Amino acid sequence: MSGERGTEPELSERELAVLAVARQGWTDSGARDRAIRERLGISPTRFFQLLNALLDDERALAHDPVTVNLLRRRREERRERR
């Protein structure tokens, strides 16, 4: 992807790893939380903070539009229910 986005930096390895974990579509939150801790070495709270920031990042959308758009829709649905 280098050069496609001009001078905009590419996603970091950590950002790519956060997207990869989010892409899994976990049905068991316990397994998801264990995977977050084991694969990323961060708390689930920090994971969701990073993920939320990535959902607003156009670089993440360019890298994985299916996952980002799905998660954006879910986030918006949760906001509308509040």
Side-chain angles (χ1 to χ4, degrees), residues 2 5-7 13 32 34 39 53-54 58 62 71 76 80-81:
S2 186
R5 307 289 297 167
T7 59
E13 286 187 34
R32 179 198 62 215
R34 277 190 303 280
R39 295 182 193 176
L54 280 171
E58 292 303 313
L71 295 173
E76 189 58 34
E80 289 173 1
R81 287 194 302 258

Side-chain angles (χ1 to χ4, degrees), residues 45 49 53 59 64 70 75 77 80:
T45 300
Q49 290 170 341
R59 297 172 305 150
D64 191 346
L70 172 67
R75 181 176 66 179
E77 289 168 1
E80 289 173 1

Side-chain angles (χ1 to χ4, degrees), residues 54-78:
L54 280 171
L55 295 182
D56 296 325
D57 189 326
E58 292 303 313
R59 297 172 305 150
L61 180 63
H63 174 75
D64 191 346
V66 173
T67 300
V68 171
N69 282 323
L70 172 67
L71 295 173
R72 282 179 175 180
R73 283 192 302 274
R74 287 182 184 167
R75 181 176 66 179
E76 189 58 34
E77 289 168 1
R78 280 192 303 276

